[in-house]
Amino acid sequence: MRLHGGAVLAELTTRFGEQARAKVLSGEVVDADGAVIDAATVLPAGASVYLYRDLPDEVPVPFDIPVLYRDDDIVVVDKPHFLATMPRGSHVAQTALVRLRRELGLPELSPAHRLDRLTAGVLLFTARREVRGAYQMLFARGAVRKTYLAGAPVDPDLELPRVIVNRIIKRRSHLQAVIEPGAPNAETLVELSAPGLYRLTPRTGRTHQLRVHMASLGLPIIGDPLYPKVIDVAADDFSTPLRLLAQRIEFDDPFTGIRRMFLSRRTIDGFDAR
């Protein structure tokens, strides 16, 4: 938050009450440089201080986040199932972003793209704000080739490979995305890699796109609690992961022009992701 100026303790107490006062007195409020604010601190108008609200208890996600690659600009990890990419809704501390910032000591870490909470696999973060926009733009422009693996039933009568093209809409407060008439905005190449294992190459990036497209073929991804129907799963139930893996990403580095490729080390039901 930005200050009006003056004694920090008095301003925070006026604006946020006794809870904010207690946080100052316990050393939980810091300025833009990370220095602890105390009862005597006076700052000019426009100065920033950081006051973090208390969060409800979250169910710990009991899986590590292996680092696949790291340099001064990017960090590439192998995200586990059940861990959100970044804070949203009831998931804050138990997200890849917050955990990695703490574990790696990188306060400017930021995701260049997102994976659904239930999807595992390759996830790229930028380590410095100076390079953030260039890598995020690669994903926004569709300049990153992404390959997924999915475990799903087999339909011997379904002709594959095939390209699915349609319009997917995800509305706020609705758990499921839906296919609607209108101009197409979602495209996925679906190939059978082995019996029960599918290679999915999305050419767009709509919310839940791969899960919706597989369900539309009558091949819902194993472990999916949303498609084709919503299943209530307890927050601490990690027994049935979604069989969807972001297996590979490839792109030309925006600074060096070098072709880069990162590959997950995870497996799906005994199939090697590589």
Side-chain angles (χ1 to χ4, degrees):
M1 58 161 287
R2 292 192 176 276
L3 298 174
H4 296 144
V8 177
L9 178 61
E11 183 170 340
L12 290 180
T13 302
T14 299
R15 293 171 67 173
F16 298 106
E18 287 302 316
Q19 186 179 30
R21 176 184 176 84
K23 285 184 174 293
V24 172
L25 297 178
S26 63
E28 297 180 43
V29 181
V30 298
D31 66 14
D33 295 321
V36 174
I37 301 297
D38 61 27
T41 302
V42 175
L43 292 174
S48 295
V49 297
Y50 296 85
L51 170 68
Y52 296 98
R53 60 189 173 90
D54 292 327
L55 298 171
D57 291 337
E58 295 181 52
V59 176
V61 178
F63 307 112
D64 294 332
I65 316 174
V67 174
L68 297 172
Y69 176 83
R70 177 179 178 181
D71 63 24
D72 291 340
D73 292 337
I74 63 174
V75 176
V76 184
V77 302
D78 214 353
K79 187 184 84 67
H81 297 285
F82 302 106
L83 192 67
T85 296
M86 59 191 299
R88 184 178 182 183
S90 61
H91 305 285
V92 180
Q94 291 298 311
T95 60
L97 175 62
V98 173
R99 283 177 49 175
L100 287 168
R101 280 181 174 178
R102 293 172 176 172
E103 292 171 11
L104 303 179
L106 294 173
E108 294 185 1
L109 196 73
S110 181
H113 62 122
R114 299 185 189 184
L115 292 179
D116 287 347
R117 185 178 69 87
L118 298 183
T119 303
V122 182
L123 181 60
L124 187 148
F125 291 82
T126 58
R128 300 184 297 120
R129 68 180 64 187
E130 293 85 357
V131 302
R132 184 179 304 164
Y135 286 98
Q136 289 179 340
M137 188 57 65
L138 286 178
F139 287 90
R141 291 192 291 106
V144 179
R145 178 180 172 84
K146 295 178 282 187
T147 305
Y148 291 73
L149 295 179
V154 175
D155 180 354
D157 296 326
L158 185 66
E159 186 175 337
L160 294 174
R162 69 168 57 192
V163 176
I164 304 175
V165 181
N166 52 28
R167 181 174 182 80
I168 295 178
I169 299 296
K170 175 70 167 64
R171 293 183 172 83
R172 187 182 298 275
S173 78
H174 290 255
L175 293 176
Q176 291 182 319
V178 295
I179 296 173
E180 293 188 347
N185 63 3
E187 180 176 338
T188 304
L189 170 64
V190 180
E191 302 171 279
L192 185 63
S193 180
L197 183 69
Y198 297 83
R199 180 180 296 108
L200 310 178
T201 306
R203 293 168 180 165
T204 54
R206 310 303 300 181
T207 299
H208 296 176
Q209 176 176 318
L210 302 181
R211 298 161 70 179
V212 172
H213 278 171
M214 289 297 285
S216 74
L217 292 175
L219 305 174
I221 297 174
I222 297 169
D224 196 335
L226 290 183
Y227 304 94
K229 63 181 181 179
V230 177
I231 301 172
D232 188 24
V233 179
D236 60 351
D237 184 354
F238 304 108
S239 63
T240 309
L242 176 71
R243 303 310 200 271
L244 180 61
L245 176 70
Q247 180 208 21
R248 179 198 307 252
I249 61 172
E250 297 179 67
F251 58 89
D252 294 329
D253 189 277
F255 296 100
T256 66
I258 295 173
R259 187 69 173 176
R260 309 190 79 163
M261 186 273 288
F262 300 104
L263 193 65
S264 173
R265 297 171 184 164
R266 299 184 183 275
T267 61
I268 293 184
D269 285 342
F271 290 103
D272 191 326
R274 292 165 288 182

